[in-house]
Amino acid sequence: MLPWKRVLRPLAALLLTAAVAVVPAATAHASTATATSTSGWNDYSCKPSAAHPRPVVLVHGTLGNSIDNWLSLAPYLEHRGYCVYSLDYGQLPGVPVFHGLGPIDKSAEQLSGFVDKVLAATGAAKADLVGHSQGGMMPRYYLKFLGGAAKVNALVGLAPDNHGATLSGLTNLLAYFPGAADLLKATTPGLADQMPGSDFLTKLNAGGDTVPGVRYTVIATKYDEVATPWRSQYLSGSDVTNVLLQDLCSLDLSEHVAIGLFDRIAFHEVANALDPAHATATTCASAFS
């Protein structure tokens, strides 16, 4: 007969995963009806409070967009008193809904313009950025090369592909198909830019991962199947906090997509990163907070 711990652990993991998925899924379902108004975020009349003096800009991932990527996290932060905004970037001509496919340096320019717009509307001196996947990596180009460090207090990355995305090693197969890499770069440059060793990533990471004056937080999951190996998501440098989701809750089974779309344990750690002075412990129970 198996020991009780071995019997209960899989059951607990299943129940927790269900809770993480179902609670925000209900929110997302309710939000879908008002998706055109982005469910209360992107309100340019919002003025940051003394408790949360910086607006939060959400940066979607590859194939995401300013609404679908944030149906859970945006209301989560808004409910906690933040002025929340999200943008679309990296659109290709004739490709609706699925964004983040254009050249990443150009996407960073779009982010720069959007942050300026948000700061002008809110009157805030700086913003905080929260990004998922490419959206956690691309802002580093803005901070490093486009003057963003003077306008950003913190960058929080959920499963950011800071040193490339190997798709669990699948990108290594491109070498066996002559012309495939060139075709990828010509048709979807945003994907090509994320391949380890690309010119874009080489430039981005040369001379160090971070720039002074910005706080960086990386929240990773060991079940990531896109930004692999998952440790490659971590940053080195001053004022960096690297977090593994399973160190906070060993029962959390979220992978690359789930960590950004509906994992409230990850969201709790995002809230801690945005307001470290009032951080509370992130545990498995955070799925219900």
Side-chain angles (χ1 to χ4, degrees):
M1 185 174 182
L2 290 174
W4 280 109
K5 285 186 177 180
R6 294 182 62 186
V7 174
L8 293 177
R9 182 180 175 86
L11 178 60
L14 180 62
L15 291 174
L16 179 65
T17 303
V20 169
V22 170
V23 173
T27 303
H29 179 74
S31 299
T32 302
T34 56
T36 54
S37 63
T38 56
S39 308
W41 76 94
N42 278 344
D43 176 5
Y44 286 91
S45 66
C46 184
K47 297 301 179 184
S49 65
H52 301 302
R54 292 177 299 275
V56 177
V57 174
L58 303 178
V59 190
H60 67 74
T62 306
L63 299 177
N65 61 62
S66 62
I67 296 177
D68 294 342
N69 213 140
W70 306 120
L71 286 173
S72 293
L73 181 56
Y76 181 96
L77 294 176
E78 185 190 16
H79 179 70
R80 283 156 178 77
Y82 289 93
C83 293
V84 182
Y85 304 86
S86 61
L87 77 155
D88 287 311
Y89 70 86
Q91 301 95 323
L92 291 180
V95 181
V97 182
F98 301 106
H99 301 149
L101 297 172
I104 298 182
D105 57 347
K106 301 302 180 184
S107 294
E109 292 177 4
Q110 291 180 280
L111 174 61
S112 177
F114 188 80
V115 171
D116 286 348
K117 178 182 177 181
V118 168
L119 293 181
T122 59
K126 290 188 176 184
D128 289 326
L129 308 181
V130 178
H132 179 214
S133 191
Q134 180 190 163
M137 173 271 289
M138 175 269 279
R140 292 177 49 224
Y141 190 94
Y142 163 56
L143 299 177
K144 194 170 187 178
F145 299 110
L146 302 178
K151 303 173 184 178
V152 172
N153 170 72
L155 169 61
V156 184
L158 290 160
D161 53 341
N162 282 314
H163 299 95
T166 68
L167 300 176
S168 299
L170 288 178
T171 58
N172 297 329
L173 299 177
L174 287 175
Y176 296 97
F177 298 89
D182 291 336
L183 178 63
L184 188 69
K185 187 173 183 178
T187 56
T188 52
L191 296 181
D193 284 345
Q194 294 178 76
M195 292 182 60
S198 69
D199 291 342
F200 174 82
L201 286 174
T202 299
K203 178 180 179 179
L204 176 64
N205 293 315
D209 292 342
T210 63
V211 295
V214 180
R215 289 190 294 105
Y216 296 82
T217 301
V218 172
I219 304 171
T221 170
K222 68 179 181 180
Y223 299 114
D224 203 304
E225 74 283 25
V226 176
T228 51
W230 64 263
R231 292 183 190 276
S232 68
Q233 300 172 27
Y234 283 178
L235 295 172
S236 299
S238 60
D239 220 351
V240 170
T241 301
N242 294 310
V243 179
L244 179 63
L245 198 55
Q246 284 71 36
D247 286 343
L248 306 175
C249 175
S250 62
L251 302 179
D252 195 313
L253 305 180
S254 290
E255 41 66 73
H256 185 80
V257 175
I259 193 175
L261 265 59
F262 53 70
D263 190 332
R264 293 175 72 92
I265 297 172
F267 293 176
H268 187 272
E269 194 63 12
V270 169
N272 282 346
L274 293 175
D275 188 8
H278 299 94
T280 58
T282 301
T283 67
C284 295
S286 300
F288 305 97
S289 64

